[in-house]
Amino acid sequence: MFITITLICFCSWSLAGGCGVEVKSVFITEGDSVTLESALAEIQSDDLIMWRFGAKKEILLATYSRKDNKAETVYGSDGRFRDRLQLDSQTGSLIITNSRISDSGLYTVTSINSDIPLNTFNITVYVCLPLPDIIRDCSSSEQYCSVVCSVVNVSAVSLSWYKGNSVLSSISVSDLSISLSLPLEVEYQDNNTYSCVINNPISNQTTRLDINILCQICPGCCGFTEAVIRLALSALVGVATVAVLVYDISSRRSDQKREQEIREIS
Ligand SMILES: *[C@@H]1O[C@H](CO)[C@@H](O)[C@H](O)[C@H]1NC(C)=O
Ligand SMILES: *[C@@H]1O[C@H](CO)[C@@H](O)[C@H](O)[C@H]1NC(C)=O
Ligand SMILES: *[C@@H]1O[C@H](CO)[C@@H](O)[C@H](O)[C@H]1NC(C)=O
Ligand SMILES: *[C@@H]1O[C@H](CO)[C@@H](O)[C@H](O)[C@H]1NC(C)=O
C-alpha cells in the first residue's frame, strides 16, 4: 500500500477560472507515487517548464530549462517536498513520491511558449484506511449476540455492516472523528456472512464477523454458573487477604516482643 506506484484515477473534469483550463482531479492514497503529465510529448529546445503548487500562495516546485543544448532541472526550496520530486527530462512530467496528506491541492505546469497552463491537477490524498475492529458488546440482551464495529482517528469515511453483499446499516463522517462505531445484533445460530467495511471514495478495508468465536463467551457477563464461580473466587481472594493480614500482624507482634526481650536483657 505504501509503495504502490502511480495509482491515478482521473475521476472528474471541471473548468477552472473560466479561461478554459481543465482541472484534472487525481485521487491517491497516502504513500502512493503519482505522475503528473506535462501534456508535452517532448520538451522543445529553448523551453522553460515550471511546476507550481498551491492555489493562492504558489510554491515553485521545479523548473526545467533547455537552452543551447544545455538542460537544467532546479527543484524549489520548499522543504515539504524535499527529496520527493522528480522531473522527467524528456516530457517535463512531475513525479511525486511517498505522497502525504499535505500534498493535496492544485498543481500547475506552464511553458514559456504558452500563455495558458499546459495542465492543472487537483490532487486529493486520502489516508490509509485502518482495519475495522469488531468487539462483543456484553452490556445488552442475552437473546442476541451484540457486537460493535469501530475505527479510530478517521475522516471522510463511511463505516457499514454488510450481510452477504447487502448493506444493513451505515454511518458516515466528513470531519476527523476520534472514534466511529456501529452496532449489530445477530442470532447465535446465524449462518449468514457478516462483515464490517470502512471505505472512502477510493479504497476500503473489511473485517469479517466470526460469530462462532466472538459470540461464544462474554467475559464479565452474568450467566448463573459464571456468577457462582466469580463469587467463589472473590471469597477465596478475601480469605487469602485476611490470612496475610493476620500473619503480618502476628509476625510484627513477635518482632516487637523480641526487641523488648533484647532490651530487657541488655
Ligand atoms: C479540489 O478537490 C477538492 C476535493 O475533491 C475540492 O474540494 C476542491 O474544491 C477542488 N478544487 C478545485 C480548484 O477544483
Ligand atoms: C489519534 O490521533 C491523535 C492525534 O493525531 C494521536 O495522538 C493518537 O495517538 C491517535 N490514536 C490512535 C489510536 O491512532
Ligand atoms: C444454520 O445451519 C445449521 C446447520 O447447518 C442449522 O441447523 C440451523 O438451523 C441454521 N440456522 C439458521 C438460522 O438458518
Ligand atoms: C472494496 O474495493 C474493491 C476494489 O478495491 C471493490 O471491488 C469492492 O467492491 C469494494 N467493496 C466495497 C464494499 O466497497
Side-chain angles (χ1 to χ4, degrees), residues 191-262:
N191 295 326
N192 292 292
T193 308
Y194 293 90
S195 45
C196 184
V197 179
I198 182 176
N199 71 282
N200 62 21
I202 60 165
S203 60
N204 64 55
Q205 290 271 27
T206 302
T207 302
R208 283 270 295 273
L209 167 63
D210 194 332
I211 296 181
N212 290 334
I213 290 178
L214 210 57
C215 291
Q216 225 160 37
I217 357 130
C218 219
C221 221
C222 301
F224 178 70
T225 335
E226 204 174 334
V228 170
I229 292 173
R230 272 166 181 277
L231 205 65
L233 268 180
S234 58
L236 264 180
V237 170
V239 169
T241 312
V242 170
V244 167
L245 270 178
V246 168
Y247 172 77
D248 195 37
I249 290 172
S250 59
S251 73
R252 234 183 264 164
R253 281 223 185 106
S254 65
D255 278 356
Q256 277 174 356
K257 214 170 153 195
R258 204 179 309 139
E259 274 171 31
Q260 214 171 352
E261 279 166 6
I262 291 171

Side-chain angles (χ1 to χ4, degrees), residues 15-21 23:
L15 292 176
C19 50
V21 180
V23 175

Side-chain angles (χ1 to χ4, degrees), residues 30-265:
E30 204 179 0
D32 288 346
S33 294
V34 64
T35 300
L36 303 178
E37 307 283 348
S38 69
L40 294 173
E42 192 172 0
I43 300 171
Q44 301 301 303
S45 52
D46 295 340
D47 202 348
L48 174 64
I49 303 288
M50 293 183 135
W51 278 98
R52 291 188 174 84
F53 170 68
K56 292 207 178 81
K57 222 178 141 219
E58 287 187 331
I59 293 168
L60 187 62
L61 293 177
T63 60
Y64 180 85
S65 57
R66 200 182 270 176
K67 210 165 179 11
D68 306 329
N69 273 335
K70 263 181 67 187
E72 190 183 21
T73 303
V74 178
Y75 293 102
S77 56
D78 193 83
R80 82 181 97 167
F81 288 99
R82 194 189 306 279
D83 300 331
R84 297 193 297 120
L85 298 176
Q86 273 169 261
L87 201 137
D88 184 320
S89 57
Q90 182 81 21
T91 61
S93 296
L94 186 72
I95 300 150
I96 305 170
T97 55
N98 194 14
S99 62
R100 302 176 183 169
I101 303 296
S102 56
D103 294 348
S104 298
L106 287 181
Y107 291 76
T108 309
V109 56
T110 55
S111 157
I112 204 167
N113 297 328
S114 165
D115 290 336
I116 60 164
L118 299 173
N119 244 339
T120 301
F121 299 89
N122 183 4
I123 297 192
T124 307
V125 185
Y126 289 95
V127 292
C128 282
L129 292 177
L131 264 181
D133 198 21
I134 304 176
I135 55 160
R136 176 87 183 267
D137 173 13
C138 287
S139 64
S140 41
S141 81
E142 288 186 39
Q143 197 179 353
Y144 295 99
C145 170
S146 303
V147 294
V148 179
C149 177
S150 60
V151 282
V152 294
N153 278 0
V154 288
S155 62
V157 296
S158 293
L159 193 64
S160 315
W161 273 112
Y162 278 76
K163 179 182 185 174
N165 290 323
S166 49
V167 184
L168 289 178
S169 58
S170 198
I171 184 173
S172 300
V173 283
S174 47
D175 298 328
L176 179 70
S177 176
I178 299 303
S179 173
L180 189 63
S181 53
L182 197 61
L184 177 74
E185 282 191 337
V186 292
E187 307 230 13
Y188 288 94
Q189 303 301 322
D190 203 323
N191 295 326
N192 292 292
T193 308
Y194 293 90
S195 45
C196 184
V197 179
I198 182 176
N199 71 282
N200 62 21
I202 60 165
S203 60
N204 64 55
Q205 290 271 27
T206 302
T207 302
R208 283 270 295 273
L209 167 63
D210 194 332
I211 296 181
N212 290 334
I213 290 178
L214 210 57
C215 291
Q216 225 160 37
I217 357 130
C218 219
C221 221
C222 301
F224 178 70
T225 335
E226 204 174 334
V228 170
I229 292 173
R230 272 166 181 277
L231 205 65
L233 268 180
S234 58
L236 264 180
V237 170
V239 169
T241 312
V242 170
V244 167
L245 270 178
V246 168
Y247 172 77
D248 195 37
I249 290 172
S250 59
S251 73
R252 234 183 264 164
R253 281 223 185 106
S254 65
D255 278 356
Q256 277 174 356
K257 214 170 153 195
R258 204 179 309 139
E259 274 171 31
Q260 214 171 352
E261 279 166 6
I262 291 171
R263 239 179 278 137
E264 278 165 10
I265 290 169

